[in-house]
Amino acid sequence: LGLALAKEIDADLVLATDPDADRLGVRVKDKDGVYHTLTGNMSGCLLADYEIGQRKALKGLPDDGYLIKTIVTSNMADAIAKEYNAGLIEVLTGFKYIGQQILGFETTGKGNYLFGFEESYGCLIGTHARDKDAIVATMALCEAAAYYKTQGKTLWDAMVDMYEKYGYYKDDIQSITLKGIEGLQKIQEILETLRKNPPTEFG
């Protein structure tokens, strides 16, 4: 329905949050009028690059600034952190671990939070919360879209520019469902095997 309305009114963006407004889904229109779905990694990297880039341009960056991501998040984040001479912290999956890093900065007085995100459509701009926040992310993405539009670019153009600058990254998620008591036994067997005999190499 959102995409149908976007086509009808020729919208630049289609944005949707979940009911508790912590995740933000995004579609962006290119110059040919085609709408592209952004993964959480794509929208997160777009916002990370925009937010950190604008902070650098407008007020400068702290010497001890950090970009924080989870272990399942795109390695494009590493390239963005390197571009801005920022530290990169990788945490376990779950936004609470990003929140723990912010708390650590606040309690020790060492480290400055620049941006944090995970691949599952969640990011946090600022330190007002300890969870992903789609309300602020929505405003920031609209701001980024307006900014790039002043340069004659769509958000899709900005994404392609980032690929050209930082390298091309592809990510994919595969879910495996094992049902019932047999499924539970199979899961337990797999985990037990991995714990006892972890693989020594991949590929």
Side-chain angles (χ1 to χ4, degrees), residues 91-167:
V91 297
L92 292 174
T93 308
F95 223 89
K96 66 180 181 181
Y97 296 110
I98 295 175
Q100 283 177 357
Q101 294 297 318
I102 296 171
L103 182 62
F105 295 157
E106 291 173 348
T107 52
T108 64
K110 294 176 182 174
N112 272 280
Y113 176 79
L114 297 177
F115 190 82
F117 76 109
E118 58 183 7
E119 55 78 35
S120 58
Y121 297 93
C123 72
L124 177 63
I125 299 162
T127 58
H128 59 283
R130 293 296 184 270
D131 199 357
K132 46 197 177 290
D133 181 352
I135 302 300
V136 175
T138 298
M139 293 189 294
L141 206 70
C142 289
E143 180 186 308
Y147 170 78
Y148 290 120
K149 195 161 188 172
T150 65
Q151 301 177 353
K153 294 178 181 179
T154 66
L155 269 184
W156 185 249
D157 293 329
M159 192 72 237
V160 172
D161 286 349
M162 284 181 61
Y163 283 134
E164 291 293 323
K165 181 177 182 179
Y166 297 122

Side-chain angles (χ1 to χ4, degrees), residues 9-195:
I9 65 173
D10 195 29
D12 293 328
L13 299 170
V14 182
L15 304 173
T17 73
D18 54 350
D20 62 343
D22 62 355
R23 300 173 197 268
L24 173 65
V26 185
R27 277 186 166 152
V28 297
K29 187 181 70 176
D30 66 17
K31 286 179 177 160
D32 297 322
V34 177
Y35 287 90
H36 299 270
T37 301
L38 300 187
T39 66
N41 277 322
M42 293 163 79
S43 59
C45 285
L46 260 176
L47 281 171
D49 190 60
Y50 176 74
E51 288 293 320
I52 298 172
Q54 287 297 301
R55 182 166 173 176
K56 181 182 179 182
L58 299 173
K59 1 183 228 192
L61 294 173
D63 293 333
D64 59 351
Y66 287 92
L67 171 58
I68 308 172
K69 70 166 195 169
T70 62
I71 59 173
V72 292
T73 301
S74 172
N75 288 342
M76 186 186 269
D78 305 47
I80 292 168
K82 188 177 179 184
E83 169 71 16
Y84 293 106
N85 293 315
L88 179 87
I89 297 174
E90 197 170 61
V91 297
L92 292 174
T93 308
F95 223 89
K96 66 180 181 181
Y97 296 110
I98 295 175
Q100 283 177 357
Q101 294 297 318
I102 296 171
L103 182 62
F105 295 157
E106 291 173 348
T107 52
T108 64
K110 294 176 182 174
N112 272 280
Y113 176 79
L114 297 177
F115 190 82
F117 76 109
E118 58 183 7
E119 55 78 35
S120 58
Y121 297 93
C123 72
L124 177 63
I125 299 162
T127 58
H128 59 283
R130 293 296 184 270
D131 199 357
K132 46 197 177 290
D133 181 352
I135 302 300
V136 175
T138 298
M139 293 189 294
L141 206 70
C142 289
E143 180 186 308
Y147 170 78
Y148 290 120
K149 195 161 188 172
T150 65
Q151 301 177 353
K153 294 178 181 179
T154 66
L155 269 184
W156 185 249
D157 293 329
M159 192 72 237
V160 172
D161 286 349
M162 284 181 61
Y163 283 134
E164 291 293 323
K165 181 177 182 179
Y166 297 122
Y168 283 79
Y169 297 80
K170 180 172 174 57
D171 56 90
D172 190 31
I173 296 173
Q174 185 174 3
S175 295
I176 299 168
T177 303
L178 301 173
K179 293 182 179 177
I181 201 80
E182 298 87 0
L184 183 61
Q185 287 172 344
K186 183 70 176 168
I187 291 167
Q188 288 169 342
E189 284 170 23
I190 292 168
L191 290 173
E192 201 60 33
T193 303
L194 286 170
R195 287 189 183 107

